[in-house]
Amino acid sequence: MKRLAIPLFLVMCVMGTVNAQTKPAAKKATVKASPKPTTAPAIKPQDIEEGKMLLTKSDCLACHKVDTKVVGPAYADVAKKYPYSAANVDLLSSKIINGGSGTWGAVPMAAHPALTAADAKKMVTYILSLNAK
Ligand code: HEC
């Protein structure tokens, strides 16, 4: 009986640590992917204002204008292509942070690794709100 108890104890220890390690990782994954087609959170007017301000302060306007294509697509066209939804806000904000290419043409968009996800989401909220105007 003793001989069995020791390996059993070890196995339980290992399982315990595996559990402890996978739990936070699983949490991160759900935060990142969030492909839930849930109803979009209501657009907060404050986020639109802040997003617009953040865009002005960053380098975005060197390549984007609201109504005309420059290096990147016009923001009005982006808003037409992507209806405002939680999934699209996540998608576009991660493209702004990580860079993207192939959706609008051959020219890629540079990554913006210094942006926080929260700020990028506000920028996207502003851009997608253009559709309503
Ligand atoms: C160096 C030029 C450049 C800068 C600076 C730039 N973009 Fe872009 N952006 C592009 C190009 C080019 C594309 C099209 C990429 C593609 O075809 O997938 C694009 C695409 C986008 C899209 C649409 C992505 C898609 O997949 O449909 C959004 C939204 C966007 N940019 C927002 C921003 C924001 C916000 C900033 C500032 C933080 C920014 N861009 C800065 C060139 C730029």
Side-chain angles (χ1 to χ4, degrees), residues 51-90:
K52 190 175 177 180
M53 210 185 64
L54 289 164
L55 277 182
T56 320
K57 280 203 252 163
S58 186
D59 63 354
C60 321
L61 298 178
C63 293
H64 293 278
K65 287 209 169 15
V66 170
D67 294 317
T68 46
K69 177 182 189 289
V70 189
V71 180
Y75 284 149
D77 290 338
V78 175
K80 260 185 229 156
K81 184 173 163 72
Y82 303 93
Y84 178 78
S85 72
N88 280 341
V89 171
D90 283 353

Side-chain angles (χ1 to χ4, degrees), residues 55 59-60 63-64 82 95-96 101-105 107 109 112:
L55 277 182
D59 63 354
C60 321
C63 293
H64 293 278
Y82 303 93
K95 278 200 174 176
I96 294 168
S101 65
T103 309
W104 297 89
V107 186
M109 171 158 72
H112 294 82

Side-chain angles (χ1 to χ4, degrees), residues 3-25:
R3 285 210 170 166
L4 233 179
I6 290 167
L8 207 73
F9 175 74
L10 284 176
V11 165
M12 277 161 74
C13 279
V14 169
M15 276 165 67
T17 47
V18 166
N19 246 346
Q21 276 167 356
T22 48
K23 262 188 191 158

